[in-house]
Amino acid sequence: MNSETSPRVVKSAGAYAWAVVAVVWLAGFSAPANMAKVTTLAPVLMEVFGIGPDTIGWVIALFYALGIILAFPAAGLINRFGIRVCVIISIVTGALGSLLGVISADLGVFMASRVLEGAGMGLLTVAGPAAITPWFPKEKRGLPLGIWGMWVALAMFLCPIVYAAVAEAAGWRIVWWITLAFDIIVLVLFLLIYRTPDFIFEGEDIEKTQAKPSIKNVMANKTVWALGLVFFFDQLAVMAVNNFTTTYLTTVVGASLTLAATLASMAAIIGAVCSPLAGKISDILKTRRWVLVVGCVAGVAYTALYFNTTSIDLIWPIVVLGGIVGGVVPAMIFAATPEQVDPADVPNAMAMVSLTQNVGMFLGATILGGAVTAIGWSSAALFILAPCFVIAALIALFTKKVR
């Protein structure tokens, strides 16, 4: 759409809107599917490359590095070339990362492959919600954006189980071939299905919809900053746990790699269910803020308990808490952020929360690896991870402009 063309005004985008959700979601899923390879197979890769928990933490963190660098450039890319181009680039970089990883012969090349794969996730964090938002009226966005919020959780459910089984049966490199093939399939589907909407919904302001994006307006928006900070602390703590789950369970609790991956996956599938459920509940209750607060409170308990538990039997109820956190918080961030800005500024607003998200994930990987080496699993959980969610809950509670 541009200022020279008046868009159609519609009540609903119809069933095609859900086809868009599906293909954008698959594109999004491809990124955490790449991410989960190293977090799942960390014990195997530490042995292959002869490294310890602190170094594997940096390998994991590299995945998020370009997410930090590309947050605002991704918004600029969307503003100039459109969402379609941005998503295509993200899928292609992920595929190239998988290809480089599968042929890597040393740690340096392998780490470079993770940077490429991370670029795909950095772009999609911005592009995904921006691609879905214009296909639904404001009052009905909670559910589709809640479904989008499953992109990480469902990957963390399915992928650890598949990757652990494949690696144990045929070696870790086969896992990289699988993700390469998946990326190619998703690219083809996206090219065939996705298109930019040529309409607006009844009640929307045409001038605001067609206005030029303004990063200055977003940077001055205190509510977007608040949501970004909540996402920062959430992702620092949650991804720290996710990144080291298999390492902790295999080295401390004594679980097999397959069992550890299964436990990690259970939290993710609960999160995948909670994400659209939280979106729907927030639509019905007409509040994002209180649902977000509940998710953060669950996060306090989750992070305080996980690395203080050495019994497999006691891990299971903690996994439920992890699923609630992993589903509810991202869903509410993705649903609430576009509501704080004009339609033209949605990519810029998502860039802001993407930046804080990726910084959180990066620090979660690097800080926990070093903290575990220095003070142990229990102290790291109690003095670093749990306080993150206390802060996040307080910020969410007092951010009154989030309805």
Side-chain angles (χ1 to χ4, degrees):
M1 291 184 293
N2 56 59
S3 58
E4 298 178 356
T5 303
S6 295
R8 293 182 295 121
V9 178
V10 300
K11 292 183 178 180
S12 170
Y16 198 84
W18 292 104
V20 170
V21 172
V23 75
V24 172
W25 187 90
L26 282 173
F29 180 88
S30 69
N34 283 325
M35 176 182 70
K37 292 182 294 195
V38 172
T39 55
T40 301
L41 302 178
V44 175
L45 295 170
M46 284 192 288
E47 183 177 348
V48 168
F49 292 112
I51 56 178
D54 51 348
T55 304
I56 199 67
W58 280 101
V59 176
I60 293 169
L62 278 174
F63 185 90
Y64 313 125
L66 275 189
I68 299 170
I69 296 169
L70 290 176
F72 284 105
L77 187 66
I78 292 172
N79 293 334
R80 181 163 184 175
F81 299 107
I83 291 171
R84 183 182 178 86
V85 170
C86 188
V87 175
I88 290 170
I89 291 174
S90 70
I91 300 171
V92 170
T93 55
L96 291 175
S98 288
L99 179 60
L100 184 60
V102 82
I103 64 174
S104 61
D106 58 62
L107 183 60
V109 175
F110 183 77
M111 292 174 79
S113 77
R114 295 299 287 173
V115 173
L116 278 174
E117 290 176 333
M121 187 155 182
L123 292 169
L124 281 162
T125 303
V126 178
I132 293 170
T133 296
W135 284 88
F136 295 87
K138 185 176 181 178
E139 67 275 9
K140 294 184 178 180
R141 289 175 186 162
L143 179 57
L145 288 170
I147 291 172
W148 163 257
M150 297 167 59
W151 67 309
V152 176
L154 199 57
M156 298 306 292
F157 162 63
L158 295 173
C159 296
I161 296 174
V162 174
Y163 294 168
V166 170
E168 288 184 338
W172 67 271
R173 291 184 191 272
I174 300 300
V175 173
W176 269 250
W177 282 116
I178 290 172
T179 57
L180 174 59
F182 181 77
D183 288 345
I184 293 171
I185 292 169
V186 170
L187 178 61
V188 172
L189 289 173
F190 185 82
L191 289 170
L192 291 174
I193 295 174
Y194 182 81
R195 61 181 174 85
T196 302
D198 59 353
F199 56 82
I200 64 171
F201 293 101
E202 289 183 350
E204 288 187 344
D205 188 319
I206 294 178
E207 290 186 2
K208 288 184 177 181
T209 301
Q210 296 187 333
K212 291 183 178 180
S214 171
I215 188 62
K216 182 179 179 180
N217 289 343
V218 172
M219 294 293 288
N221 190 312
K222 294 179 181 179
T223 306
V224 173
W225 274 103
L227 290 169
L229 285 173
V230 172
F231 216 9
F232 166 78
F233 287 111
D234 163 73
Q235 292 296 288
L236 192 160
V238 166
M239 296 309 295
V241 177
N242 289 348
N243 289 336
F244 287 92
T245 287
T246 54
T247 301
Y248 176 75
L249 293 177
T250 55
T251 61
V252 178
V253 181
S256 67
L257 180 60
T258 300
L259 178 56
T262 301
L263 284 164
S265 295
M266 288 305 298
I269 190 57
I270 294 170
V273 172
C274 286
S275 183
L277 183 60
K280 186 63 177 178
I281 289 172
S282 72
D283 280 346
I284 294 171
L285 299 180
K286 301 186 186 305
T287 176
R288 315 288 190 207
R289 180 161 61 100
W290 286 106
V291 178
L292 179 59
V293 170
V294 169
C296 291
V297 170
V300 176
Y302 172 60
T303 50
L305 294 172
Y306 201 100
F307 292 141
N308 281 283
T309 304
T310 56
S311 166
I312 289 293
D313 291 337
L314 294 178
I315 286 287
W316 290 103
I318 301 172
V319 164
V320 175
L321 287 172
I324 294 171
V325 178
V328 171
V329 176
M332 291 302 93
I333 296 295
F334 292 137
T337 301
E339 295 173 345
Q340 310 309 314
V341 297
D342 292 337
D345 277 326
V346 170
N348 289 327
M350 293 312 305
M352 175 71 79
V353 298
S354 173
L355 175 65
T356 58
Q357 176 194 25
N358 280 280
V359 171
M361 290 191 292
F362 181 87
L363 291 178
T366 55
I367 288 175
L368 188 63
V372 167
T373 302
I375 61 176
W377 294 99
S378 177
S379 295
L382 292 175
F383 297 116
I384 297 175
L385 304 185
C388 286
F389 270 112
V390 173
I391 296 170
L394 290 173
I395 293 173
L397 183 62
F398 291 104
T399 306
K400 299 295 180 66
K401 287 188 178 181
V402 176
R403 64 183 177 93

